[in-house]
Amino acid sequence: MEDLRIKNMLRNHKLAKSIQDARWGKFGDYIEYKSLRQGKRHVLVDPKGTSQTCLCGAHVPKDLSVRVHECPVCGLEMDRDLVSAKLILERGLSAMA
């Protein structure tokens, strides 16, 4: 999962309440606990660029209102959250290698 700096993110008053309501910190602790309990590894990856990078490696800038990732380089068109999840998985797997 992403190694998010939650305390820094709480400084953004537009996001702070939502982040606190969702209890992101506790969620991360829970995921780590469950992973270890199942004998799995819990890997934190650098979150830099996960929502602005294509699977091909191209930088594709977009603001939060844009929900579909469209890469002008390779033509990939996919939900932006799915692309980010695949990038996080790729980074986690390479960190374990």
Side-chain angles (χ1 to χ4, degrees), residues 4-43:
L4 298 173
R5 304 290 183 238
I6 297 170
K7 286 186 180 183
N8 293 345
M9 294 172 77
L10 292 175
R11 292 180 186 153
N12 181 335
H13 299 292
K14 294 179 181 179
L15 298 175
K17 183 169 177 5
S18 296
I19 291 170
Q20 287 176 322
D21 287 349
R23 300 188 51 123
W24 283 7
K26 283 292 181 193
F27 178 69
D29 293 343
Y30 184 72
I31 294 295
E32 180 177 16
Y33 163 77
K34 286 294 197 177
S35 298
L36 296 174
R37 186 170 177 214
Q38 295 297 316
K40 308 293 182 185
R41 290 185 62 191
H42 181 255
V43 179

Side-chain angles (χ1 to χ4, degrees), residues 50-58 60 62 66-87 90:
T50 55
S51 63
Q52 306 290 320
T53 306
C54 183
L55 297 175
C56 72
V60 184
K62 52 192 158 305
V66 178
R67 303 309 310 159
V68 177
H69 170 87
E70 295 175 4
C71 181
V73 176
C74 70
L76 177 69
E77 189 172 319
M78 188 182 296
D79 182 273
R80 76 179 282 157
D81 294 332
L82 187 54
V83 173
S84 294
K86 288 179 181 239
L87 281 170
E90 186 178 287

